[in-house]
Amino acid sequence: MNKLAKIISLMTPQDLQLLQKDLDAGNLHKLIEQQLATFQKGKETICPTCTQPIYTHTSLRLEFGPPGLRQVAHFDATDCLVDFVNTRLKKAQYTITEL
């Protein structure tokens, strides 16, 4: 609550009155609930193999690429992940020791 207390201490009387109105109307409660739901749901992305929409908090995550240029891909299931890895390995002609 330290961050919120600091913000409130810097507010003008007019801003505090508007904040009080929002608090009384329940707008702050709704805003907090929406923001928490967004965090819990995760960011929506698309599986690069099957193009199904998925959320990052429920997906399988793969980081790949050279150290200076890392990329991240999210997959909805292990079969998509395996297919992606096999396709990438064949295209890039990597050997298992290079990964």
Coordinates of all heavy atoms in Angstrom, one line a residue:
M1 N 0.8 -1.2 0.0 CA 0.0 0.0 0.0 C 0.9 1.3 0.0 O 0.4 2.4 -0.1 CB -0.9 0.0 1.2 CG -1.9 1.1 1.3 SD -3.5 0.6 0.9 CE -4.4 2.0 1.6
N2 N 2.2 1.1 0.1 CA 3.1 2.3 0.2 C 3.0 3.1 -1.1 O 3.0 4.3 -1.1 CB 4.5 1.8 0.4 CG 4.7 1.3 1.8 OD1 3.9 1.7 2.7 ND2 5.7 0.5 2.0
K3 N 2.9 2.4 -2.3 CA 2.9 3.1 -3.6 C 1.6 3.9 -3.7 O 1.6 5.1 -4.1 CB 2.9 2.1 -4.7 CG 4.3 1.5 -4.9 CD 4.3 0.6 -6.2 CE 5.6 0.0 -6.4 NZ 5.7 -0.8 -7.6
L4 N 0.5 3.3 -3.3 CA -0.8 4.0 -3.3 C -0.8 5.2 -2.4 O -1.3 6.3 -2.7 CB -2.0 3.0 -3.0 CG -3.4 3.5 -3.1 CD1 -3.6 4.1 -4.5 CD2 -4.4 2.4 -2.8
A5 N -0.3 5.0 -1.2 CA -0.3 6.1 -0.2 C 0.6 7.2 -0.7 O 0.2 8.4 -0.5 CB 0.3 5.6 1.1
K6 N 1.7 6.9 -1.4 CA 2.5 8.0 -1.9 C 1.8 8.7 -3.0 O 1.9 10.0 -3.1 CB 3.8 7.3 -2.5 CG 4.8 8.3 -2.9 CD 6.1 7.6 -3.5 CE 7.2 7.9 -2.6 NZ 8.5 7.4 -3.1
I7 N 1.1 8.0 -3.9 CA 0.3 8.7 -5.0 C -0.8 9.6 -4.4 O -0.9 10.7 -4.8 CB -0.3 7.6 -5.9 CG1 0.8 6.9 -6.7 CG2 -1.3 8.3 -6.9 CD1 0.3 5.7 -7.5
I8 N -1.5 9.1 -3.4 CA -2.5 9.9 -2.8 C -2.0 11.1 -2.1 O -2.6 12.2 -2.2 CB -3.4 9.0 -1.8 CG1 -4.2 8.0 -2.6 CG2 -4.3 9.9 -0.9 CD1 -4.9 7.0 -1.7
S9 N -0.8 11.0 -1.5 CA -0.2 12.2 -0.8 C 0.2 13.3 -1.8 O 0.3 14.4 -1.4 CB 1.0 11.8 0.0 OG 2.0 11.4 -0.8
L10 N 0.4 12.9 -3.1 CA 0.8 13.9 -4.1 C -0.4 14.5 -4.8 O -0.2 15.4 -5.6 CB 1.7 13.3 -5.1 CG 3.0 12.8 -4.5 CD1 3.8 12.0 -5.6 CD2 3.9 13.9 -4.0
M11 N -1.6 14.0 -4.6 CA -2.8 14.5 -5.3 C -3.3 15.8 -4.8 O -3.2 16.1 -3.6 CB -3.9 13.4 -5.2 CG -3.5 12.1 -5.9 SD -4.8 10.9 -5.7 CE -5.9 11.4 -7.0
T12 N -4.0 16.6 -5.7 CA -4.6 17.8 -5.3 C -5.9 17.6 -4.7 O -6.5 16.5 -4.8 CB -4.8 18.7 -6.6 OG1 -5.7 18.1 -7.4 CG2 -3.5 19.0 -7.3
P13 N -6.5 18.6 -4.0 CA -7.8 18.4 -3.4 C -8.9 18.0 -4.4 O -9.8 17.2 -4.2 CB -8.1 19.7 -2.7 CG -6.8 20.3 -2.4 CD -5.9 19.8 -3.5
Q14 N -8.8 18.6 -5.6 CA -9.8 18.3 -6.7 C -9.7 16.8 -7.1 O -10.7 16.2 -7.3 CB -9.6 19.2 -7.9 CG -9.9 20.7 -7.6 CD -8.7 21.4 -6.9 OE1 -7.6 20.9 -6.8 NE2 -9.0 22.6 -6.5
D15 N -8.4 16.4 -7.3 CA -8.2 15.0 -7.7 C -8.7 14.0 -6.6 O -9.3 13.0 -6.9 CB -6.7 14.7 -8.0 CG -6.2 15.4 -9.3 OD1 -7.1 15.7 -10.1 OD2 -5.0 15.6 -9.4
L16 N -8.5 14.4 -5.4 CA -9.0 13.6 -4.3 C -10.5 13.5 -4.3 O -11.1 12.4 -4.0 CB -8.5 14.1 -2.9 CG -7.0 13.8 -2.6 CD1 -6.5 14.6 -1.4 CD2 -6.7 12.4 -2.5
Q17 N -11.2 14.6 -4.6 CA -12.6 14.6 -4.6 C -13.1 13.7 -5.8 O -14.1 12.9 -5.6 CB -13.2 16.0 -4.8 CG -13.1 16.8 -3.5 CD -13.5 18.3 -3.8 OE1 -13.6 18.7 -4.9 NE2 -13.7 19.0 -2.7
L18 N -12.4 13.7 -6.9 CA -12.8 12.9 -8.0 C -12.5 11.4 -7.7 O -13.3 10.5 -8.0 CB -12.0 13.3 -9.3 CG -12.4 14.6 -9.9 CD1 -11.4 15.0 -11.0 CD2 -13.8 14.6 -10.4
L19 N -11.4 11.2 -7.0 CA -11.1 9.8 -6.6 C -12.2 9.3 -5.6 O -12.6 8.1 -5.7 CB -9.7 9.8 -6.0 CG -9.2 8.4 -5.5 CD1 -9.1 7.4 -6.7 CD2 -7.9 8.6 -4.8
Q20 N -12.6 10.1 -4.7 CA -13.6 9.7 -3.8 C -14.9 9.4 -4.5 O -15.6 8.4 -4.1 CB -13.9 10.9 -2.7 CG -14.9 10.5 -1.7 CD -14.4 9.4 -0.8 OE1 -13.3 9.4 -0.3 NE2 -15.3 8.4 -0.5
K21 N -15.3 10.2 -5.5 CA -16.5 9.9 -6.3 C -16.4 8.5 -7.0 O -17.3 7.7 -7.0 CB -16.8 11.0 -7.3 CG -17.3 12.2 -6.7 CD -17.6 13.3 -7.8 CE -18.1 14.6 -7.2 NZ -18.3 15.6 -8.3
D22 N -15.2 8.2 -7.6 CA -15.0 7.0 -8.2 C -15.1 5.8 -7.2 O -15.6 4.7 -7.5 CB -13.7 6.9 -9.0 CG -13.7 7.7 -10.3 OD1 -14.8 7.8 -10.9 OD2 -12.7 8.1 -10.8
L23 N -14.5 6.1 -6.1 CA -14.5 5.0 -5.0 C -16.0 4.7 -4.6 O -16.4 3.6 -4.4 CB -13.7 5.5 -3.8 CG -13.5 4.5 -2.7 CD1 -12.8 3.3 -3.2 CD2 -12.7 5.2 -1.6
D24 N -16.8 5.8 -4.4 CA -18.2 5.6 -3.9 C -19.0 5.0 -5.0 O -19.9 4.2 -4.7 CB -18.8 7.0 -3.6 CG -18.2 7.6 -2.3 OD1 -17.5 6.9 -1.6 OD2 -18.3 8.9 -2.2
A25 N -18.7 5.2 -6.3 CA -19.5 4.7 -7.4 C -19.1 3.2 -7.7 O -19.7 2.5 -8.5 CB -19.3 5.5 -8.6
G26 N -18.0 2.8 -7.1 CA -17.5 1.4 -7.3 C -16.6 1.3 -8.6 O -16.3 0.1 -9.0
N27 N -16.3 2.4 -9.2 CA -15.4 2.3 -10.4 C -14.0 1.8 -10.1 O -13.5 1.0 -11.0 CB -15.3 3.7 -11.0 CG -16.7 4.2 -11.5 OD1 -17.6 3.4 -11.8 ND2 -16.8 5.5 -11.6
L28 N -13.5 2.1 -9.0 CA -12.1 1.6 -8.6 C -12.1 0.1 -8.5 O -11.2 -0.6 -8.9 CB -11.6 2.3 -7.4 CG -11.2 3.7 -7.6 CD1 -10.7 4.3 -6.3 CD2 -10.2 3.9 -8.6
H29 N -13.2 -0.4 -7.8 CA -13.3 -1.9 -7.6 C -13.4 -2.6 -9.0 O -12.7 -3.6 -9.2 CB -14.6 -2.1 -6.8 CG -14.8 -3.6 -6.5 ND1 -14.0 -4.3 -5.6 CD2 -15.7 -4.5 -7.0 CE1 -14.4 -5.6 -5.6 NE2 -15.5 -5.7 -6.4
K30 N -14.2 -2.0 -9.9 CA -14.3 -2.6 -11.2 C -13.0 -2.6 -12.0 O -12.6 -3.6 -12.6 CB -15.4 -1.9 -12.0 CG -16.8 -2.1 -11.5 CD -17.8 -1.2 -12.3 CE -19.2 -1.2 -11.6 NZ -20.1 -0.2 -12.3
L31 N -12.3 -1.5 -11.9 CA -11.0 -1.3 -12.6 C -10.0 -2.3 -12.0 O -9.3 -3.0 -12.8 CB -10.5 0.1 -12.4 CG -9.2 0.4 -13.0 CD1 -9.3 0.3 -14.6 CD2 -8.7 1.8 -12.7
I32 N -10.0 -2.5 -10.7 CA -9.0 -3.5 -10.2 C -9.4 -4.9 -10.6 O -8.5 -5.7 -10.9 CB -9.0 -3.3 -8.6 CG1 -8.3 -2.0 -8.2 CG2 -8.2 -4.5 -8.0 CD1 -8.4 -1.6 -6.8
E33 N -10.6 -5.2 -10.6 CA -11.1 -6.6 -11.0 C -10.7 -6.8 -12.4 O -10.3 -7.9 -12.8 CB -12.6 -6.7 -10.8 CG -13.0 -7.0 -9.4 CD -14.5 -7.3 -9.2 OE1 -15.2 -7.0 -10.2 OE2 -14.9 -7.8 -8.2
Q34 N -10.9 -5.8 -13.3 CA -10.6 -6.0 -14.7 C -9.1 -6.2 -14.9 O -8.7 -7.1 -15.7 CB -11.1 -4.8 -15.5 CG -12.5 -4.7 -15.7 CD -12.9 -3.3 -16.4 OE1 -12.1 -2.4 -16.5 NE2 -14.2 -3.2 -16.7
Q35 N -8.3 -5.4 -14.2 CA -6.9 -5.5 -14.3 C -6.3 -6.9 -13.8 O -5.5 -7.5 -14.5 CB -6.2 -4.4 -13.6 CG -4.7 -4.2 -13.9 CD -4.4 -3.9 -15.4 OE1 -5.3 -3.2 -16.0 NE2 -3.3 -4.2 -15.9
L36 N -6.9 -7.4 -12.7 CA -6.5 -8.7 -12.2 C -6.9 -9.8 -13.1 O -6.2 -10.8 -13.3 CB -7.1 -8.9 -10.8 CG -6.5 -8.1 -9.7 CD1 -7.3 -8.3 -8.4 CD2 -5.0 -8.5 -9.5
A37 N -8.1 -9.7 -13.7 CA -8.5 -10.7 -14.7 C -7.6 -10.7 -15.9 O -7.3 -11.8 -16.4 CB -10.0 -10.4 -15.1
T38 N -7.1 -9.6 -16.3 CA -6.2 -9.5 -17.5 C -4.9 -10.2 -17.1 O -4.4 -10.9 -17.9 CB -5.9 -8.0 -17.9 OG1 -7.2 -7.4 -18.2 CG2 -5.0 -7.9 -19.0
F39 N -4.4 -10.0 -15.9 CA -3.1 -10.6 -15.5 C -3.3 -12.1 -15.4 O -2.4 -12.9 -15.8 CB -2.7 -10.1 -14.2 CG -2.0 -8.7 -14.3 CD1 -2.4 -7.7 -13.4 CD2 -1.1 -8.4 -15.2 CE1 -1.8 -6.4 -13.5 CE2 -0.5 -7.2 -15.3 CZ -0.9 -6.2 -14.5
Q40 N -4.5 -12.6 -14.9 CA -4.7 -14.0 -14.7 C -4.9 -14.7 -16.0 O -4.5 -15.8 -16.2 CB -5.9 -14.2 -13.8 CG -5.6 -13.8 -12.4 CD -6.9 -13.9 -11.5 OE1 -8.0 -14.0 -12.0 NE2 -6.7 -13.7 -10.2
K41 N -5.5 -14.0 -17.0 CA -5.8 -14.6 -18.3 C -4.5 -14.8 -19.1 O -4.3 -15.7 -19.8 CB -6.8 -13.8 -19.0 CG -7.3 -14.4 -20.3 CD -8.6 -13.7 -20.8 CE -8.3 -12.3 -21.3 NZ -9.4 -11.7 -22.1
G42 N -3.6 -13.8 -18.9 CA -2.4 -13.8 -19.7 C -2.6 -13.1 -21.1 O -3.7 -12.8 -21.5
K43 N -1.6 -12.9 -21.8 CA -1.6 -12.3 -23.1 C -2.1 -13.3 -24.1 O -1.6 -14.5 -24.1 CB -0.2 -11.8 -23.4 CG -0.2 -11.1 -24.7 CD 1.3 -10.6 -25.0 CE 1.3 -10.0 -26.4 NZ 2.7 -9.7 -26.8
E44 N -3.0 -12.9 -25.0 CA -3.4 -13.8 -26.0 C -2.4 -13.8 -27.2 O -1.9 -12.8 -27.6 CB -4.8 -13.4 -26.6 CG -5.4 -14.4 -27.5 CD -6.8 -14.1 -27.9 OE1 -7.3 -13.0 -27.5 OE2 -7.4 -14.9 -28.7
T45 N -2.1 -15.0 -27.6 CA -1.2 -15.1 -28.8 C -1.7 -16.3 -29.6 O -2.7 -16.9 -29.4 CB 0.3 -15.4 -28.3 OG1 1.1 -15.4 -29.4 CG2 0.4 -16.7 -27.5
I46 N -1.0 -16.6 -30.7 CA -1.4 -17.7 -31.6 C -0.3 -18.7 -31.7 O 0.9 -18.4 -31.8 CB -1.7 -17.1 -33.0 CG1 -2.9 -16.1 -32.9 CG2 -1.9 -18.1 -34.0 CD1 -3.2 -15.4 -34.2
C47 N -0.7 -20.0 -31.7 CA 0.3 -21.1 -31.8 C 0.8 -21.0 -33.3 O 0.1 -21.0 -34.2 CB -0.5 -22.4 -31.6 SG 0.6 -23.8 -31.9
P48 N 2.2 -21.0 -33.4 CA 2.7 -20.8 -34.8 C 2.6 -22.1 -35.6 O 2.7 -22.0 -36.8 CB 4.2 -20.6 -34.5 CG 4.5 -21.1 -33.1 CD 3.2 -21.0 -32.4
T49 N 2.2 -23.2 -35.0 CA 2.1 -24.5 -35.8 C 0.6 -24.6 -36.3 O 0.4 -24.8 -37.5 CB 2.5 -25.7 -34.9 OG1 3.8 -25.5 -34.4 CG2 2.5 -26.9 -35.8
C50 N -0.3 -24.5 -35.4 CA -1.7 -24.8 -35.8 C -2.6 -23.5 -35.9 O -3.8 -23.6 -36.2 CB -2.4 -25.8 -34.8 SG -2.6 -25.2 -33.2
T51 N -2.0 -22.4 -35.5 CA -2.7 -21.1 -35.5 C -3.9 -21.0 -34.6 O -4.8 -20.1 -34.9 CB -3.0 -20.6 -37.0 OG1 -4.1 -21.5 -37.5 CG2 -1.8 -20.6 -37.9
Q52 N -4.0 -21.7 -33.6 CA -5.1 -21.6 -32.6 C -4.8 -20.5 -31.6 O -3.6 -20.4 -31.2 CB -5.3 -23.0 -31.9 CG -5.8 -24.1 -32.7 CD -7.2 -23.8 -33.2 OE1 -8.1 -23.3 -32.5 NE2 -7.5 -24.0 -34.5
P53 N -5.7 -19.7 -31.3 CA -5.5 -18.7 -30.2 C -5.3 -19.4 -28.9 O -6.0 -20.3 -28.5 CB -6.7 -17.9 -30.2 CG -7.8 -18.7 -30.9 CD -7.1 -19.7 -31.8
I54 N -4.3 -18.9 -28.1 CA -3.9 -19.4 -26.8 C -3.5 -18.3 -25.9 O -3.3 -17.2 -26.4 CB -2.8 -20.5 -26.9 CG1 -1.6 -19.9 -27.6 CG2 -3.2 -21.8 -27.5 CD1 -0.3 -20.8 -27.6
Y55 N -3.5 -18.5 -24.6 CA -3.1 -17.6 -23.6 C -1.7 -18.0 -23.1 O -1.5 -19.2 -22.9 CB -4.1 -17.4 -22.5 CG -5.4 -16.8 -22.9 CD1 -6.5 -17.6 -23.2 CD2 -5.4 -15.4 -23.2 CE1 -7.7 -17.0 -23.6 CE2 -6.6 -14.9 -23.6 CZ -7.7 -15.6 -23.8 OH -8.9 -15.1 -24.3
T56 N -0.8 -17.0 -22.9 CA 0.5 -17.3 -22.6 C 0.7 -18.0 -21.2 O 1.6 -18.8 -21.0 CB 1.4 -16.0 -22.5 OG1 0.8 -15.1 -21.6 CG2 1.5 -15.4 -23.9
H57 N -0.3 -17.9 -20.3 CA -0.1 -18.5 -19.0 C -0.5 -20.0 -19.1 O -0.1 -20.8 -18.2 CB -1.0 -17.8 -17.9 CG -2.4 -18.2 -18.0 ND1 -3.3 -17.8 -19.0 CD2 -3.2 -18.9 -17.1 CE1 -4.5 -18.3 -18.7 NE2 -4.5 -18.9 -17.6
T58 N -1.1 -20.5 -20.1 CA -1.5 -21.9 -20.3 C -0.7 -22.6 -21.4 O -0.9 -23.7 -21.7 CB -2.9 -22.1 -20.6 OG1 -3.3 -21.4 -21.8 CG2 -3.8 -21.6 -19.5
S59 N 0.2 -21.8 -22.0 CA 0.9 -22.4 -23.2 C 2.3 -23.0 -22.8 O 2.8 -22.8 -21.7 CB 1.2 -21.3 -24.2 OG 2.1 -20.3 -23.6
L60 N 2.8 -23.8 -23.8 CA 4.2 -24.3 -23.7 C 5.1 -23.2 -24.3 O 4.8 -22.8 -25.4 CB 4.3 -25.6 -24.4 CG 3.4 -26.7 -23.9 CD1 3.4 -27.9 -24.8 CD2 3.8 -27.2 -22.5
R61 N 6.1 -22.9 -23.6 CA 7.0 -21.8 -24.1 C 8.3 -22.3 -24.6 O 8.9 -23.2 -23.9 CB 7.2 -20.8 -23.0 CG 8.1 -19.7 -23.3 CD 8.3 -18.8 -22.1 NE 9.5 -18.0 -22.2 CZ 9.6 -16.8 -21.8 NH1 8.6 -16.2 -21.1 NH2 10.7 -16.1 -22.0
L62 N 8.8 -21.9 -25.7 CA 10.1 -22.3 -26.2 C 10.9 -21.0 -26.6 O 10.4 -20.2 -27.3 CB 9.9 -23.2 -27.5 CG 11.2 -23.5 -28.2 CD1 12.1 -24.5 -27.4 CD2 10.9 -24.1 -29.6
E63 N 12.1 -20.9 -26.0 CA 13.0 -19.9 -26.4 C 14.1 -20.5 -27.3 O 14.6 -21.5 -27.0 CB 13.7 -19.3 -25.1 CG 12.8 -18.5 -24.2 CD 13.5 -17.8 -23.1 OE1 14.7 -17.5 -23.3 OE2 12.9 -17.6 -22.0
F64 N 14.4 -19.7 -28.4 CA 15.4 -20.2 -29.3 C 16.1 -19.1 -30.0 O 15.7 -17.9 -29.9 CB 14.7 -21.1 -30.4 CG 13.6 -20.4 -31.2 CD1 13.9 -19.9 -32.4 CD2 12.3 -20.3 -30.7 CE1 12.9 -19.3 -33.2 CE2 11.3 -19.7 -31.4 CZ 11.6 -19.2 -32.7
G65 N 17.1 -19.4 -30.7 CA 17.9 -18.4 -31.4 C 19.2 -18.1 -30.7 O 19.5 -18.6 -29.6
P66 N 20.1 -17.4 -31.4 CA 21.4 -17.1 -30.8 C 21.2 -16.2 -29.6 O 20.2 -15.5 -29.4 CB 22.1 -16.3 -31.9 CG 21.1 -15.8 -32.8 CD 19.9 -16.8 -32.7
P67 N 22.2 -16.2 -28.7 CA 22.1 -15.5 -27.4 C 21.8 -14.0 -27.6 O 21.0 -13.4 -26.8 CB 23.5 -15.6 -26.8 CG 24.0 -16.9 -27.3 CD 23.5 -17.0 -28.7
G68 N 22.2 -13.3 -28.6 CA 22.0 -11.9 -28.8 C 20.6 -11.6 -29.4 O 20.2 -10.5 -29.5
L69 N 20.0 -12.7 -29.9 CA 18.7 -12.5 -30.7 C 17.7 -13.6 -30.3 O 17.3 -14.4 -31.2 CB 19.0 -12.5 -32.2 CG 17.9 -12.1 -33.1 CD1 17.4 -10.7 -32.9 CD2 18.3 -12.3 -34.6
R70 N 17.4 -13.7 -29.0 CA 16.5 -14.7 -28.6 C 15.1 -14.5 -29.0 O 14.6 -13.3 -29.1 CB 16.5 -14.9 -27.0 CG 17.9 -15.1 -26.4 CD 18.4 -16.4 -26.8 NE 17.8 -17.5 -26.1 CZ 18.0 -18.8 -26.3 NH1 18.9 -19.1 -27.2 NH2 17.4 -19.7 -25.7
Q71 N 14.4 -15.5 -29.4 CA 13.0 -15.4 -29.8 C 12.2 -16.4 -28.9 O 12.7 -17.4 -28.3 CB 12.8 -15.8 -31.2 CG 13.4 -14.9 -32.2 CD 13.2 -15.3 -33.6 OE1 12.7 -16.4 -33.9 NE2 13.6 -14.5 -34.5
V72 N 10.9 -16.1 -28.7 CA 10.0 -16.9 -27.9 C 8.8 -17.3 -28.7 O 8.2 -16.5 -29.4 CB 9.5 -16.1 -26.6 CG1 8.6 -16.9 -25.8 CG2 10.7 -15.7 -25.8
A73 N 8.4 -18.6 -28.6 CA 7.2 -19.1 -29.2 C 6.4 -19.8 -28.2 O 6.9 -20.5 -27.3 CB 7.6 -20.0 -30.4
H74 N 5.1 -19.6 -28.3 CA 4.1 -20.3 -27.4 C 3.3 -21.3 -28.2 O 2.8 -21.0 -29.3 CB 3.2 -19.3 -26.7 CG 4.0 -18.3 -25.9 ND1 4.2 -18.6 -24.5 CD2 4.5 -17.1 -26.1 CE1 4.8 -17.6 -24.0 NE2 5.1 -16.7 -24.9
F75 N 3.1 -22.5 -27.6 CA 2.4 -23.6 -28.3 C 1.3 -24.1 -27.4 O 1.3 -24.0 -26.2 CB 3.4 -24.7 -28.5 CG 4.5 -24.3 -29.4 CD1 5.7 -23.9 -28.8 CD2 4.4 -24.4 -30.8 CE1 6.8 -23.5 -29.6 CE2 5.5 -24.0 -31.6 CZ 6.7 -23.5 -31.0
D76 N 0.2 -24.5 -28.0 CA -1.0 -25.0 -27.3 C -0.9 -26.4 -26.8 O -1.5 -26.8 -25.9 CB -2.3 -24.8 -28.1 CG -2.3 -25.5 -29.4 OD1 -1.2 -25.9 -29.9 OD2 -3.4 -25.7 -29.9
A77 N 0.0 -27.2 -27.5 CA 0.1 -28.6 -27.1 C 1.5 -29.1 -27.5 O 2.2 -28.5 -28.3 CB -0.9 -29.5 -27.8
T78 N 1.9 -30.3 -26.9 CA 3.2 -30.8 -27.2 C 3.4 -31.2 -28.6 O 4.5 -31.1 -29.2 CB 3.5 -32.0 -26.3 OG1 2.5 -33.0 -26.4 CG2 3.6 -31.6 -24.8
D79 N 2.4 -31.7 -29.3 CA 2.5 -32.1 -30.7 C 2.9 -30.9 -31.6 O 3.7 -31.0 -32.5 CB 1.3 -32.8 -31.3 CG 0.0 -31.9 -31.2 OD1 0.0 -31.0 -30.4 OD2 -0.9 -32.2 -32.0
C80 N 2.4 -29.7 -31.3 CA 2.7 -28.5 -32.0 C 4.2 -28.1 -31.8 O 4.9 -27.7 -32.7 CB 1.8 -27.4 -31.7 SG 0.1 -27.6 -32.3
L81 N 4.6 -28.2 -30.5 CA 5.9 -27.9 -30.1 C 6.9 -28.8 -30.8 O 7.9 -28.4 -31.4 CB 6.1 -28.0 -28.6 CG 7.5 -27.8 -28.0 CD1 8.1 -26.5 -28.3 CD2 7.5 -28.1 -26.5
V82 N 6.7 -30.1 -30.8 CA 7.5 -31.1 -31.5 C 7.6 -30.8 -33.0 O 8.7 -30.9 -33.6 CB 7.1 -32.6 -31.2 CG1 7.8 -33.6 -32.0 CG2 7.3 -32.9 -29.7
D83 N 6.5 -30.6 -33.6 CA 6.5 -30.3 -35.0 C 7.3 -29.1 -35.3 O 8.0 -29.0 -36.3 CB 5.0 -30.1 -35.5 CG 4.9 -30.0 -37.0 OD1 5.5 -30.8 -37.7 OD2 4.3 -29.0 -37.4
F84 N 7.1 -28.0 -34.5 CA 7.9 -26.8 -34.7 C 9.4 -27.0 -34.6 O 10.2 -26.6 -35.5 CB 7.4 -25.7 -33.7 CG 8.1 -24.4 -33.8 CD1 7.7 -23.5 -34.8 CD2 9.2 -24.1 -33.0 CE1 8.3 -22.2 -34.9 CE2 9.8 -22.9 -33.1 CZ 9.4 -21.9 -34.1
V85 N 9.8 -27.8 -33.6 CA 11.2 -28.0 -33.4 C 11.8 -28.8 -34.5 O 12.8 -28.5 -35.1 CB 11.5 -28.7 -32.0 CG1 12.9 -29.2 -31.9 CG2 11.2 -27.8 -30.9
N86 N 11.0 -29.9 -35.0 CA 11.5 -30.7 -36.1 C 11.6 -29.9 -37.4 O 12.6 -30.1 -38.1 CB 10.6 -31.9 -36.3 CG 10.8 -33.0 -35.2 OD1 11.8 -33.0 -34.5 ND2 9.8 -33.8 -34.9
T87 N 10.7 -29.1 -37.6 CA 10.7 -28.2 -38.8 C 11.8 -27.3 -38.8 O 12.6 -27.1 -39.8 CB 9.3 -27.5 -39.0 OG1 8.3 -28.4 -39.0 CG2 9.3 -26.7 -40.3
R88 N 12.0 -26.6 -37.6 CA 13.1 -25.6 -37.5 C 14.5 -26.3 -37.6 O 15.4 -25.8 -38.2 CB 13.0 -24.9 -36.2 CG 12.0 -23.9 -36.1 CD 12.4 -22.7 -36.8 NE 11.3 -21.7 -36.8 CZ 11.5 -20.4 -36.9 NH1 12.6 -19.9 -37.0 NH2 10.4 -19.6 -37.0
L89 N 14.6 -27.5 -37.0 CA 15.9 -28.2 -37.1 C 16.2 -28.6 -38.5 O 17.4 -28.5 -39.0 CB 15.9 -29.5 -36.2 CG 16.0 -29.2 -34.7 CD1 15.8 -30.5 -33.9 CD2 17.3 -28.6 -34.4
K90 N 15.2 -29.0 -39.3 CA 15.5 -29.4 -40.7 C 15.8 -28.2 -41.5 O 16.7 -28.3 -42.3 CB 14.2 -30.1 -41.2 CG 14.1 -31.5 -40.7 CD 12.8 -32.2 -41.2 CE 12.6 -33.5 -40.5 NZ 11.3 -34.1 -40.9
K91 N 15.1 -27.1 -41.3 CA 15.4 -25.9 -42.1 C 16.7 -25.3 -41.8 O 17.5 -24.9 -42.7 CB 14.3 -24.8 -41.9 CG 13.0 -25.1 -42.6 CD 12.0 -24.0 -42.4 CE 10.7 -24.3 -43.1 NZ 9.7 -23.2 -42.8
A92 N 17.1 -25.2 -40.5 CA 18.3 -24.6 -40.1 C 19.5 -25.6 -40.2 O 20.6 -25.2 -40.0 CB 18.2 -24.0 -38.7
Q93 N 19.2 -26.8 -40.3 CA 20.2 -27.9 -40.4 C 21.1 -27.9 -39.2 O 22.3 -28.0 -39.2 CB 21.1 -27.8 -41.7 CG 20.2 -27.9 -42.9 CD 21.1 -27.8 -44.2 OE1 22.2 -27.4 -44.2 NE2 20.4 -28.0 -45.3
Y94 N 20.5 -27.8 -38.0 CA 21.2 -27.9 -36.8 C 21.5 -29.3 -36.4 O 20.7 -30.2 -36.9 CB 20.4 -27.3 -35.6 CG 20.3 -25.8 -35.6 CD1 19.0 -25.2 -35.7 CD2 21.4 -25.0 -35.6 CE1 18.9 -23.8 -35.7 CE2 21.3 -23.6 -35.5 CZ 20.0 -23.0 -35.6 OH 19.9 -21.7 -35.6
T95 N 22.5 -29.5 -35.6 CA 22.6 -30.9 -35.0 C 22.2 -30.7 -33.6 O 22.2 -29.6 -33.0 CB 24.1 -31.3 -35.1 OG1 24.9 -30.4 -34.5 CG2 24.5 -31.5 -36.6
I96 N 22.0 -31.8 -33.0 CA 21.5 -31.8 -31.6 C 22.6 -31.1 -30.7 O 22.2 -30.4 -29.7 CB 21.2 -33.2 -31.1 CG1 20.0 -33.8 -31.9 CG2 20.8 -33.2 -29.6 CD1 18.7 -33.0 -31.8
T97 N 23.8 -31.3 -30.9 CA 24.9 -30.8 -30.1 C 24.9 -29.2 -30.2 O 25.4 -28.6 -29.2 CB 26.3 -31.3 -30.5 OG1 26.5 -31.0 -31.8 CG2 26.3 -32.8 -30.2
E98 N 24.4 -28.6 -31.2 CA 24.5 -27.2 -31.4 C 23.4 -26.5 -30.6 O 23.4 -25.3 -30.4 CB 24.4 -26.8 -32.9 CG 25.6 -27.1 -33.6 CD 25.5 -26.8 -35.1 OE1 24.4 -27.1 -35.7 OE2 26.4 -26.2 -35.7
L99 N 22.3 -27.2 -30.3 CA 21.2 -26.6 -29.5 C 21.7 -26.5 -28.1 O 21.4 -25.8 -27.3 CB 20.0 -27.5 -29.6 CG 19.4 -27.5 -31.0 CD1 18.2 -28.5 -31.0 CD2 19.0 -26.2 -31.5

